[in-house]
Amino acid sequence: MMSRTFRFGQRGSTPEGEATDQPALTPQDEENIHAYVAKIHDTIDVLNREIDAIKAGDLDVVSAIFEEKSRALKWLELQTPLVEPFIDHPIMTELEVKRHLKHLKSAIEEDSAILSRMAVAARTILREVKKISNRNDLDGNYGKMGQRVSGVADKNMRCLLYTSDAADE
């Protein structure tokens, strides 16, 4: 029977010259950290493409990029617990992970602010369209003084129709 090797067992003790308060990295840990940094860069690129497209008025990009952006952010969310224990490790300092995370945070905040403003604008436009629709006979008629008169003309018309029908007989 083949024995299983777990990463925890691979950690062992820290090599000479490294800080003793830092956990030793396994090859898998290093791969995870490098993949994490690469995904941070990819996500920042996606967010910047979306921000630039919105600023240029190319709003079709928002729906086109949505899936890609969602997958990248979800991947980062799921991988964070794997790299977080090493945040103060020398390899993280060497790769400038904290700086990249700050850059990612600012890109997310800018993207979120732009999308929020778009949502507010869309709600405002919808509210104005509803007002216009309601004023233009789609929700009744109004007199010169602004009071609702819908239904009044219909009742008068019915009375006239019944009266004229009765006179014809």
Side-chain angles (χ1 to χ4, degrees), residues 46-66:
V46 170
L47 292 167
N48 286 335
R49 275 190 292 144
E50 183 175 51
I51 291 166
D52 293 342
I54 292 170
K55 287 179 179 177
D58 187 6
L59 301 182
D60 294 334
V61 171
V62 174
S63 59
I65 286 182
F66 179 78

Side-chain angles (χ1 to χ4, degrees), residues 62-107:
V62 174
S63 59
I65 286 182
F66 179 78
E67 285 298 319
E68 183 181 2
K69 181 175 69 170
S70 295
R71 278 193 309 272
L73 291 169
K74 188 65 173 178
W75 190 94
L76 286 170
E77 178 185 347
L78 294 174
Q79 295 299 312
T80 296
L82 297 177
V83 298
E84 197 170 29
F86 307 106
I87 198 71
D88 293 322
H89 198 279
I91 192 170
M92 299 290 261
T93 306
E94 179 185 319
L95 295 172
E96 300 179 313
V97 174
K98 287 183 180 179
R99 184 176 64 81
H100 296 307
L101 286 171
K102 285 179 185 175
H103 191 166
L104 175 63
K105 181 182 179 229
S106 68

Side-chain angles (χ1 to χ4, degrees), residues 8 131 157 164:
F8 187 73
K131 281 183 191 176
M157 286 297 268
S164 65

Side-chain angles (χ1 to χ4, degrees), residues 122-136 138:
R123 283 192 299 271
T124 302
I125 291 168
L126 179 61
R127 186 175 52 247
E128 291 302 315
V129 167
K130 282 182 179 179
K131 281 183 191 176
I132 292 167
S133 296
N134 290 341
R135 270 188 241 137
N136 289 311
L138 297 177

Side-chain angles (χ1 to χ4, degrees), residues 100-161:
H100 296 307
L101 286 171
K102 285 179 185 175
H103 191 166
L104 175 63
K105 181 182 179 229
S106 68
I108 290 170
E109 288 171 346
E110 183 179 3
D111 186 60
S112 177
I114 289 173
L115 292 173
S116 293
R117 287 192 300 265
M118 286 176 54
V120 167
R123 283 192 299 271
T124 302
I125 291 168
L126 179 61
R127 186 175 52 247
E128 291 302 315
V129 167
K130 282 182 179 179
K131 281 183 191 176
I132 292 167
S133 296
N134 290 341
R135 270 188 241 137
N136 289 311
D137 198 20
L138 297 177
D139 192 37
N141 296 320
Y142 296 85
K144 292 179 186 178
M145 302 304 285
Q147 65 274 42
R148 189 172 179 156
V149 293
S150 64
V152 174
D154 293 340
K155 289 178 187 173
N156 290 340
M157 286 297 268
R158 275 190 231 123
C159 289
L160 288 175
L161 287 174

